[in-house]
């Protein structure tokens, strides 16, 4: 009671101008995330400014900005201090730790997070602690949450593809505090026992087994696990496609929507019961008891999801709303939202690296905007319309597409899931252990309900999807314009808001001018993919590898890059030969973009493809394309690789696939025009290619290696790299520098490494 009384005195003063202070704190946190490296410890001296800034109320926003910056700096420095030493990468090490997650199924085994307590190399303890993400491929053992394990592993520091428009895997790992990834060596899996750690994950794992036994192989089983437990590892590619194309993927992530619905239902239930409590209602008001019950229910539901990052944010937001009720403040107010924002950033300033952070707060803010002033738009369809339009700029920025039917689909999908499927699933999960038959019946009803919804979503997935890549700065006026358009009736000049949308709709990303050629060597790991653009045409040379049934370079790197560049179709696709590391992403590319012409050195494997042959050529906007090899059809393997030369008045590019020394010798003896400004080095820098005669014949100024980080082949071979350097070439490697962007224009030639352009302090060197 004393604390409650103190809270009543403190909260009003704390909430005063909380909106400005929270936004200032947010800007400080975001400012740190834009830095390529962390500033020195001298920034700690900025604390000396706090008394000065606090003294004048007009300067307090600056105080909160500085506080946000320093808070994020301290947390980031703590995370980076637990990084894996580079000397231990790819080395056999032994780790001892506790399973800290709900293990996920993969196409080849299991994946889980281990909280490392000890790491040794050759019997010596190493200075490393923290969380690592491991895969098991050979061992049939299934890790259990809370188990104490001793594992022989190979690790590497967080590293992912670095391409324009691509997913920042390193930021994703950093946000989740994971400081290394790797795999368990064959025969290196040993259980030391069980612990009391991670009881929530133990409960989730037990419930997952019970749900699997109850639902069996029903197609809705994976969807139910995602909705109730937050485990999306069993969702198939086809299911993800339906969710993305209908704009309902957010329903499969336990986030603010689900936690809010559960809290709302619990609020109503506790309020209903407490009103019948008699004297208790006189001592403790119904709203405060109901708010406490709602918070408990939200905590329980978030626990089922393993307190994942999205549920942590949602839980803090529910907690802020509950505090508002306890202290007599309006629940649906901008002050409450600002308090939730401040709480989320205090809990984890790295949350701003997630798209979910921005989408969840933008959605909550748009709901408040829709409900402000008792507008007619406060009806369900009006609120949903506000949310859909308000999130449009952010959706296009993060994902480069917007399903045109998302508004209508979500009108019925959200209440169907939130008021039907989720309550049935939660009741079934709660009862399946003590009362198996009742729990199974409830889960079955939830699955049946979800199956009906899924039939509707599958049909809606055929509706058009708007793919668009806005110029980043246009999103700010677009967001302001949407708020202006949706302002209350009587707001002057609401139509003018539409003018602020015009830059986002009509401004296109930069593209080559007539006579220019842009070439991008994408970072696709151990493989190859090149995009060549002229003023009105696009050529793709190879599509990178396929790593697993659900993951390939076409989906992860090539298509996102093309979307960001505003490319709507591929004029020519060249598949140099049939190796997986060159053609693994083809199916994903064909599924998402129209392709005009297909050419391949392995036309027997690709029957729809025309063969590439020396002498074939064409010209696009003054840029000449010509095949130099092969000299005949019917070849197989690396020796079938298409060698493509691209000529511009200022220089040439040479793309060589995986040709070996014999094929290089044929090109040299035939007197082919080899000398080029830029060479994409044959076979990723293998010693079986790049013969001295070929290197001298090409005499490149820039030698580009497309390789995977710490790949098992050891590409590029140091001897080959040195050979190009002796020839006077400047060497680039996608494994270390990300995508290589080149522009051949009338003004000259430019080459940049994307990892350096987009570097943030969490990226590996």
């Amino acid at each position: 009671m004393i604390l409650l009384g103190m809270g009543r005195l403190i909260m009003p003063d704390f909430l005063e101008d909380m909106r400005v202070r929270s936004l200032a704190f947010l800007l400080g946190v975001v400012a740190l995330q834009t830095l390529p490296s962390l500033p020195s410890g001298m920034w700690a001296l900025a604390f000396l400014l706090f008394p000065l800034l606090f003294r004048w109320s007009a300067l307090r926003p600056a105080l909160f900005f500085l506080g946000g910056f320093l808070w994020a700096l301290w947390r980031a420095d703590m995370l980076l201090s637990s990084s894996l030493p580079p000397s231990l990468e790819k080395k056999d090490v032994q780790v001892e730790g506790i399973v800290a997650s709900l293990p996920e199924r993969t196409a080849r085994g299991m994946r889980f997070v281990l909280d490392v307590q000890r790491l040794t190399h050759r019997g010596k303890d190493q200075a490393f602690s923290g969380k690592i993400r491991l895969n098991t491929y050979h061992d049939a053992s299934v890790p259990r949450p809370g188990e104490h394990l001793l594992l022989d592993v190979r690790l590497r520091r967080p590293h992912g593809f670095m391409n324009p428009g691509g997913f920042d895997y390193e930021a994703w790992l950093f946000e989740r505090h994971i400081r290394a990834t790797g795999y368990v060596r064959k025969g290196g899996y040993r259980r030391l026992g069980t612990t009391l750690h991670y009881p929530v994950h133990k409960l989730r794992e037990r419930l997952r087994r019970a749900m699997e036994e109850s639902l069996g192989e029903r197609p809705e089983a994976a969807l139910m696990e995602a909705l109730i437990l937050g485990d999306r590892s069993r969702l198939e590619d086809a299911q993800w496609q339906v969710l993305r194309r209908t704009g309902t993927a957010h329903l499969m992530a336990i986030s603010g929507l689900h936690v809010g619905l559960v809290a709302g239902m619990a609020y109503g239930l506790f309020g209903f019961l407490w009103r019948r409590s008699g004297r208790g209602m006189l001592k403790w008001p119904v709203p405060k008891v109901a708010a406490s019950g709602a918070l408990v229910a939200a905590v329980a539901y978030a626990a089922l999801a393993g307190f994942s990052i999205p549920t942590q944010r949602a839980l803090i937001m529910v907690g802020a709303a509950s505090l508002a009720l306890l202290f007599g403040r309006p629940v649906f107010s901008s002050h409450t939202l600002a308090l939730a924002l401040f709480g989320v950033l205090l809990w984890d300033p790295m949350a701003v690296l997630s798209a979910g952070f921005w989408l969840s707060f933008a959605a909550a803010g748009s709901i408040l905007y829709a409900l402000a002033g008792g507008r007619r738009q406060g009806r369900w369809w009006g609120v949903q319309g506000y949310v859909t339009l308000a999130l449009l700029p952010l959706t296009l920025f993060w994902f480069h597409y917007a399903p045109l039917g998302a508004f209508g689909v979500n009108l019925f999908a959200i209440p169907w899931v939130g008021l039907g499927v989720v309550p049935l699933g939660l009741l079934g999960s709660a009862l399946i252990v003590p009362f198996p038959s009742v729990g199974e019946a409830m889960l079955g009803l939830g699955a049946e309900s979800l199956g009906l919804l899924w039939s509707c979503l599958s049909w809606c997935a055929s509706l058009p999807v708007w793919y668009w890549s806005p110029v980043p700065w246009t999103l700010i006026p677009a967001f302001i314009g949407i708020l202006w358009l949706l302002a209350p009736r009587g707001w002057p000049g609401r139509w003018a808001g539409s003018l602020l949308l015009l830059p986002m709709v009509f401004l296109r990303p930069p593209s080559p001018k007539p006579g220019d050629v842009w070439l991008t060597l994408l970072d696709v790991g151990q493989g190859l993919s090149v995009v060549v653009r002229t003023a009105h045409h696009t050529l793709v040379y190879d599509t990178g590898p396929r790593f697993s049934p659900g993951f390939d370079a076409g989906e992860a790197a090539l298509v996102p890059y093309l979307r960001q560049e505003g490319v709507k179709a591929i004029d020519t696709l060249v598949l140099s030969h049939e190796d997986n590391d060159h053609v693994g992403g083809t199916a994903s590319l064909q599924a998402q973009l129209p392709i005009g012409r297909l050419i391949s050195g392995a036309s027997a494997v690709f029957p729809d493809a025309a063969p590439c042959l020396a002498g074939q050529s064409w010209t696009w906007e003054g840029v000449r394309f010509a095949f130099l090899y092969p000299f005949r059809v019917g070849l197989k393997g690396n020796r079938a690789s298409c060698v493509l030369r691209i000529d511009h008045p200022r220089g040439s590019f040479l793309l060589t696939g995986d040709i070996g020394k014999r094929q290089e010798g044929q090109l040299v003896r035939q007197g082919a025009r080899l000398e080029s400004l830029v060479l994409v080095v044959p076979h990723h820098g293998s010693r079986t290619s790049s013969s001295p005669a070929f290197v001298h014949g090409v005499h490149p100024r820039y030698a580009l290696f497309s390789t995977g980080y710490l790949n098992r082949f050891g590409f590029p071979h140091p001897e080959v790299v040195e050979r190009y350097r002796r020839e006077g070439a400047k060497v680039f490697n996608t494994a270390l520098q990300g995508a290589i962007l080149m522009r051949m224009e009338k003004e000259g030639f430019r080459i940049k490494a994307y990892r350096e352009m987009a570097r943030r302090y969490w990226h590996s060197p």
Side-chain angles (χ1 to χ4, degrees):
M1 292 298 294
I2 294 175
L3 290 175
L4 191 61
M6 291 178 62
R8 289 196 182 99
L9 294 174
I10 295 171
M11 284 292 286
D13 182 64
F14 180 69
L15 288 176
E16 184 181 356
D17 295 327
M18 194 62 204
R19 292 168 296 187
V20 174
R21 295 173 183 178
S22 292
L23 287 175
F25 195 82
L26 170 65
L27 291 175
V29 171
V30 171
L32 182 83
Q33 313 307 333
T34 63
L35 298 180
S37 60
L38 289 182
S40 69
M42 295 296 292
W43 266 89
L45 296 177
F47 280 109
L48 299 176
L49 297 175
F50 275 40
L52 178 65
L53 295 174
F54 188 79
R55 185 174 181 180
W56 287 282
S57 58
L59 295 178
R60 285 180 186 172
L63 172 69
F64 276 78
F65 175 89
L66 185 59
F69 183 88
L70 293 176
W71 174 244
L73 173 61
W74 179 65
R75 293 289 296 272
D77 187 65
M78 286 183 62
L79 272 175
L80 292 181
S81 66
S82 62
S83 297
L84 181 75
S87 60
L88 295 181
E89 290 187 294
K90 283 192 68 178
K91 300 291 178 60
D92 288 328
V93 298
Q94 193 173 74
V95 294
E96 182 181 338
I98 298 170
V99 179
S101 71
L102 186 67
E104 303 174 11
R105 300 170 184 82
T106 66
R108 299 167 58 191
M110 300 290 291
R111 182 187 297 124
F112 62 98
V113 174
L114 188 77
D115 191 354
V116 176
Q117 298 177 324
R118 185 184 182 192
L119 185 148
T120 60
H121 176 54
R122 295 180 177 176
K124 295 182 179 180
D125 287 345
Q126 303 294 319
F128 176 80
S129 63
K131 293 182 178 179
I132 61 176
R133 195 171 189 236
L134 293 173
N135 285 279
T136 60
Y137 301 121
H138 308 288
D139 202 293
S141 301
V142 177
R144 305 290 187 194
E147 279 189 333
H148 189 192
L149 302 179
L150 182 64
L151 307 172
D152 297 329
V153 301
R154 281 192 177 177
L155 301 175
R156 69 178 191 178
R157 293 154 69 91
H159 193 94
F161 301 153
M162 282 293 289
N163 297 295
F167 175 67
D168 191 342
Y169 179 59
E170 294 173 44
W172 185 87
L173 291 173
F174 187 72
E175 181 199 358
R176 285 155 178 77
H177 304 177
I178 295 172
R179 302 309 304 136
T181 62
Y183 64 94
V184 180
R185 300 280 284 166
K186 188 175 183 179
Y189 189 102
R190 293 177 291 280
R191 283 191 175 92
L192 300 181
T194 59
T195 70
L196 298 177
H197 295 80
Y198 303 104
V200 170
H201 289 312
K202 290 181 180 180
L203 174 62
R204 295 176 69 218
E205 199 262 346
R206 185 180 179 186
L207 288 175
R208 183 172 71 177
R209 291 204 308 267
M211 290 179 67
E212 289 174 352
E213 292 174 2
S214 173
L215 298 176
E217 297 299 321
R218 298 175 63 156
E220 301 85 13
L223 296 167
M224 289 293 290
E225 289 179 22
L227 278 170
I228 306 305
L229 300 175
D231 177 20
R232 295 176 286 177
S233 61
R234 285 216 297 163
L235 290 177
E236 298 177 354
D237 288 345
Q239 292 173 315
W240 277 118
Q241 286 296 329
V242 170
L243 293 168
R244 292 189 185 108
R245 291 190 64 86
T246 56
T248 53
H250 63 95
L251 294 177
M252 293 299 113
I254 299 179
S255 58
L257 173 65
H258 300 80
V259 176
L261 287 170
V262 169
M265 287 186 288
Y267 182 89
L269 177 62
F270 277 92
F272 174 80
L273 295 175
W274 195 250
R275 286 188 184 92
R276 285 149 182 79
S277 65
R279 293 183 179 180
M281 187 171 59
L282 300 176
K283 187 175 182 180
W284 296 97
V286 171
K288 295 185 178 182
V289 172
S292 301
L295 184 58
V296 170
V299 170
Y301 188 39
L304 277 179
F307 290 110
S308 62
I309 300 295
T311 56
Q312 290 175 12
R313 289 195 297 267
L315 191 56
I316 291 173
M317 294 177 75
V318 170
S322 299
L323 284 174
L325 279 170
L326 290 173
F327 295 114
R329 289 273 172 172
V331 177
F332 297 107
S333 74
S334 55
H335 287 289
T336 303
L337 186 62
L339 182 62
L341 173 63
F342 190 71
V344 167
L345 295 174
L346 278 180
W347 180 262
D348 185 7
M350 306 312 155
V352 298
L353 300 178
S354 165
F357 169 86
W358 299 97
L359 293 172
S360 60
F361 276 102
S366 60
I367 291 173
L368 289 178
Y369 192 65
L371 297 175
R375 304 177 193 171
R376 292 178 60 191
Q377 290 91 339
R379 297 170 181 170
W380 165 242
W381 56 87
V383 171
Q384 181 59 38
Y386 267 65
V387 172
T388 302
L389 286 174
L391 296 187
L392 179 61
L394 286 174
T395 302
L396 291 175
F397 174 74
W398 285 100
F399 308 113
H400 306 298
Y401 74 93
L404 297 183
F407 169 68
V409 172
N410 278 286
L411 276 179
F412 67 85
I414 290 176
W416 193 317
V417 170
L419 302 178
V421 179
V422 169
L424 288 170
L426 288 176
L427 284 173
S429 300
L431 298 174
I432 196 167
V433 175
F435 306 104
S437 58
V438 179
E440 288 182 8
M442 301 298 285
L443 286 174
L445 286 174
E448 289 290 341
S449 176
L450 187 56
L452 292 174
L453 173 64
W454 193 255
S455 299
C456 299
L457 294 182
S458 298
W459 180 84
C460 293
S462 61
L463 297 174
V465 175
W466 182 33
Y467 290 100
W468 195 254
S469 297
V471 178
W473 70 263
T474 65
L475 298 175
I476 297 175
F479 187 73
I480 296 172
I482 288 173
L483 294 181
W484 197 286
L485 278 171
L486 300 179
R489 290 182 179 179
W491 190 273
R494 285 198 304 171
W495 62 271
S498 59
L499 299 178
L500 295 176
L501 298 176
L502 296 180
M504 183 185 76
V505 174
F506 290 104
L507 284 184
R508 299 292 306 276
S511 60
K513 299 176 183 177
D516 296 345
V517 58
W518 293 2
L519 187 145
T520 300
L521 175 63
L522 292 173
D523 178 10
V524 294
Q526 186 55 42
L528 180 66
S529 184
V530 181
V531 177
V532 185
R533 299 179 63 202
T534 63
H536 305 297
H537 295 86
T538 299
L539 177 143
V540 172
Y541 182 97
D542 286 346
T543 59
R546 187 185 191 200
F547 300 96
S548 70
F551 182 60
D552 63 73
E555 181 77 27
L558 178 55
V559 171
Y561 170 74
L562 294 170
R563 295 287 190 207
Q564 173 165 298
E565 294 296 296
V567 174
K568 303 296 184 183
I570 307 300
D571 296 284
T572 298
L573 171 61
V574 178
L575 300 175
S576 62
H577 61 297
E578 69 265 29
D579 284 0
N580 170 67
D581 59 331
H582 292 254
V583 302
T586 303
S588 294
L589 179 64
Q590 290 175 323
Q592 300 196 46
L593 287 171
I595 297 172
R597 178 175 57 163
L598 177 60
I599 301 174
S600 178
S603 53
V605 179
F606 301 98
D608 296 333
C612 59
L613 277 173
Q616 294 173 339
S617 65
W618 67 94
T619 301
W620 287 341
E621 292 84 54
V623 180
R624 186 173 183 271
F625 296 75
F627 286 113
L628 305 185
Y629 181 88
F631 299 112
R632 62 184 178 88
V633 297
L635 299 175
K636 295 182 180 180
N638 292 344
R639 60 197 185 107
S641 295
C642 304
V643 176
L644 179 64
R645 180 183 175 88
I646 304 166
D647 284 312
H648 183 275
R650 286 190 171 272
S652 301
F653 302 91
L654 191 62
L655 313 181
T656 57
D658 277 354
I659 60 171
K661 291 181 179 179
R662 177 175 294 183
Q663 292 76 50
E664 293 172 353
Q666 289 177 323
L667 286 167
V668 172
R669 289 191 297 272
Q670 291 284 345
R673 291 182 59 212
L674 295 178
E675 186 171 356
S676 300
L677 178 70
V678 176
L679 169 68
V680 178
V681 174
H683 204 184
H684 319 286
S686 165
R687 282 199 298 180
T688 61
S689 302
S690 297
S691 60
F694 178 79
V695 173
H696 182 70
V698 178
H699 189 59
R701 190 184 306 173
Y702 303 96
L704 279 50
F705 295 88
S706 181
T707 67
Y709 182 67
L710 298 178
N711 64 85
R712 61 191 178 95
F713 306 104
F715 294 159
H717 195 278
E719 179 184 319
V720 174
V721 175
E722 184 58 29
R723 186 174 299 153
Y724 281 101
R725 284 182 172 148
R726 286 199 304 268
E727 191 65 30
K730 184 175 181 180
V731 170
F732 288 82
N733 187 348
T734 58
L736 302 178
Q737 295 160 293
I740 311 300
L741 287 69
M742 292 155 280
R743 294 187 177 184
M744 189 86 74
E745 300 168 329
K746 294 178 181 178
E747 296 79 14
F749 175 75
R750 290 181 290 165
I751 182 169
K752 295 181 179 179
Y754 186 69
R755 185 171 283 273
E756 297 304 318
M757 294 169 58
R759 179 172 295 283
R760 296 294 182 265
Y761 65 85
W762 59 81
H763 288 142
S764 63

